[in-house]
Amino acid sequence: LQGGTSRLLLCASLALLLCTERWTTQVQPAIAVNRWWRLPWRRGDMESPTAPVAGPLAPMDRQALLAAHASTIAELRSSTNSPQSDHDLLAHLRAADLQGHDAEDRVRATDSWRASCNIERMLRDKEWLEAERDLRRILKCNYLGNDAYGRPMLVQRVGAWDVSEVEEAASDAERFAMLNALVCEILLRMPRPGLCKDPRGIVVILDLEGLGLQHFSSKMFYAFTAVSRVIRSFYPDMVDHMFLLNAPSLFSLLKTMVRPVLGTKTLSALHLSPGLTDELLDLGENRIPTQLGGSRERVFPYDEAAELDIVNVR
């Protein structure tokens, strides 16, 4: 392969990897291994100890998983004195076990980062919340509410970006990463039904229609690598399912090629389609925009005149 074809392959490969790494936990930063704990689940049995709800898009039962391993989580809390929730600690345990990392190091690093950037203050700061809303407008993403299982959904029209506008917003990579961290915080704090089995997982929908070489500048790659690093390190085990819709045909081949990099868990959460997919309707047709096959009209980012609210989830 030569010239434009080879460049397209490289760009599409980077796009697939960056999309998945940005929202999943498979590729974690290197952390020294000092496994004082031994998780009672097997590495190949990371899901709920109880039978899952029927359906390929159903969530794992994190509540049952938490109850089954309460003593392990209590031991981790005692050793780190972390203020994070039990479900946060469970997420770090799962990520650490999956990658052979040390859970204590992960938790302490997250606590240190949260204190240094004062993320709690940012969630109460009007200017930061306005900036997060403005970022969503630039990145053409929006919160769609909860799916049929109670998980928050986020949609993003990556292929419709004004690349120069995104590059300008990402010129301060540290601030850009923090604004994306606010998106994660908001998704994790969104109210869920009381009987929701999964109080942490989310669903991400990426619409790639219009994706082209202009999306793969060095500025974009640098900025989103910084974002990916923050999400992988401090927001593990969030994504239950990710849909890549209207994906270039080359992505199907690349999914096979990068299978060893992504791992089994990521691949099971990744739904790649050259167009739309009826699977989305199983998440709640009334939540899905009409442009994606649902029944919801006049919703940003498909109706760019639609109101985009500041989200307050303190």
Side-chain angles (χ1 to χ4, degrees):
L1 296 174
Q2 297 179 354
T5 304
S6 61
R7 186 180 175 206
L8 180 60
L9 275 169
L10 174 60
C11 290
S13 298
L14 292 175
L16 183 57
L17 285 170
L18 195 56
C19 284
T20 51
E21 285 189 22
R22 183 183 175 198
W23 290 108
T24 61
T25 64
Q26 289 303 108
V27 184
Q28 299 291 342
I31 298 177
V33 176
N34 177 22
R35 299 176 63 139
W36 57 267
W37 47 274
R38 286 293 181 269
L39 291 180
W41 53 70
R42 299 187 306 275
R43 195 175 288 263
D45 184 24
M46 297 290 289
E47 304 304 318
S48 167
T50 60
V53 178
L57 300 182
M60 74 173 76
D61 191 342
R62 290 182 194 256
Q63 302 286 16
L65 189 61
L66 184 68
H69 307 296
S71 60
T72 307
I73 293 166
E75 189 175 356
L76 179 59
R77 183 178 301 284
S78 176
S79 65
T80 60
N81 196 29
S82 176
Q84 297 183 61
S85 73
D86 285 349
H87 279 288
D88 290 334
L89 296 184
L90 176 64
H92 283 292
L93 280 169
R94 284 166 51 81
D97 186 65
L98 192 64
Q99 294 298 317
H101 296 159
D102 181 63
E104 282 190 8
D105 286 352
R106 284 193 59 91
V107 170
R108 289 196 178 103
T110 300
D111 288 342
S112 176
W113 175 80
R114 294 182 67 85
S116 65
C117 68
N118 203 345
I119 192 83
E120 296 291 339
R121 179 190 62 79
M122 293 168 63
L123 284 165
R124 299 189 299 270
D125 189 298
K126 182 179 178 181
E127 291 186 4
W128 274 104
L129 292 177
E130 288 177 348
E132 184 272 339
R133 177 198 57 192
D134 294 342
L135 176 77
R136 281 186 282 127
R137 186 168 293 282
I138 292 170
L139 295 183
K140 300 189 183 302
C141 71
N142 197 11
Y143 309 117
L144 297 179
N146 295 351
D147 72 359
Y149 298 99
R151 298 167 298 197
M153 293 188 292
L154 179 140
V155 64
Q156 188 168 30
R157 292 183 67 195
V158 177
W161 284 352
D162 179 331
V163 174
S164 61
E165 188 178 25
V166 176
E167 287 182 339
E168 182 179 354
S171 59
D172 184 339
E174 183 177 355
R175 177 179 172 83
F176 188 65
M178 287 307 306
L179 288 171
N180 277 272
L182 278 179
V183 173
C184 292
E185 287 286 333
I186 288 169
L187 286 165
L188 287 174
R189 295 171 186 239
M190 282 184 171
R192 307 187 187 214
L195 297 179
C196 182
K197 291 180 178 293
D198 186 353
R200 184 177 181 85
I202 66 170
V203 175
V204 176
I205 305 168
L206 300 181
D207 187 346
L208 304 183
E209 185 174 10
L211 191 74
L213 293 178
Q214 70 275 13
H215 287 77
F216 305 109
S217 68
S218 58
K219 292 179 181 178
M220 297 273 277
F221 186 76
Y222 175 77
F224 281 99
T225 298
V227 171
S228 180
R229 188 179 303 116
V230 168
I231 294 178
R232 293 196 316 259
S233 300
F234 309 127
Y235 296 95
D237 206 25
M238 280 184 61
V239 175
D240 272 3
H241 294 278
M242 179 168 63
F243 293 85
L244 274 63
L245 305 180
N246 296 311
S249 57
L250 194 57
F251 273 55
S252 296
L253 172 62
L254 291 171
K255 181 181 177 182
T256 301
M257 292 170 60
V258 301
R259 186 180 300 271
V261 178
L262 297 181
T264 303
K265 181 178 183 294
T266 300
L267 288 170
S268 67
L270 182 62
H271 307 267
L272 185 64
S273 172
L276 305 181
T277 172
D278 290 340
E279 279 187 299
L280 275 179
L281 302 185
D282 294 337
L283 299 175
E285 182 177 352
N286 63 328
R287 293 293 191 185
I288 305 300
T290 56
Q291 293 83 353
L292 298 181
S295 60
R296 187 172 179 182
E297 299 180 343
R298 295 183 295 277
V299 58
F300 186 86
Y302 292 95
D303 181 354
E304 297 203 25
E307 188 174 358
L308 196 60
D309 295 329
I310 292 177
V311 179
N312 191 330
V313 290
R314 286 180 291 169

